[in-house]
Amino acid sequence: MKPSQLIPIIRRLEAMREDQSDEVQVRRFEKDGKEQCIVRYDAKSKMYELEDRTAQQTYEFDNIDYVAVEILELVQPATSTED
């Protein structure tokens, strides 16, 4: 069984939430060296904003699980049928 790819994403998102500064926290997520999305966390509103760099769209989330799944869908390698 392969290790979960979701756990490292959630850890990065939690680190954004736990930062005590008033500044908006920003993280970039890549696939094969190409930026797939930018995530911002605003502690004042407690909202995550995901900017999908491939579709040029922005989404807001108030739930860490939902934003993590969206990130995973953007950065995970294509699944093969050989597993």
Side-chain angles (χ1 to χ4, degrees), residues 4-81:
S4 174
Q5 294 178 322
L6 201 53
I7 293 170
I9 293 171
I10 290 176
R11 286 188 183 136
R12 289 182 70 187
L13 296 173
E14 286 175 338
M16 295 171 75
R17 192 172 56 194
E18 292 168 2
D19 190 288
Q20 299 298 316
S21 72
D22 288 334
E23 296 179 19
V24 172
Q25 296 294 307
V26 179
R27 300 291 188 278
R28 288 170 167 70
F29 292 85
E30 299 178 351
K31 175 181 175 182
D32 299 326
K34 184 177 178 191
E35 188 174 78
Q36 298 298 304
C37 64
I38 299 172
V39 177
R40 296 172 187 86
Y41 179 73
D42 183 351
K44 291 178 185 174
S45 67
K46 297 184 183 336
M47 294 289 290
Y48 289 95
E49 178 185 272
L50 182 145
E51 180 183 342
D52 182 338
R53 304 290 282 164
T54 60
Q56 299 299 314
Q57 295 203 14
T58 302
Y59 309 95
E60 288 189 346
F61 299 90
D62 62 357
N63 183 301
I64 194 170
D65 294 324
Y66 296 156
V67 71
V69 168
E70 288 296 321
I71 295 167
L72 180 63
E73 289 179 2
L74 290 169
V75 301
Q76 73 181 353
T79 57
S80 68
T81 57

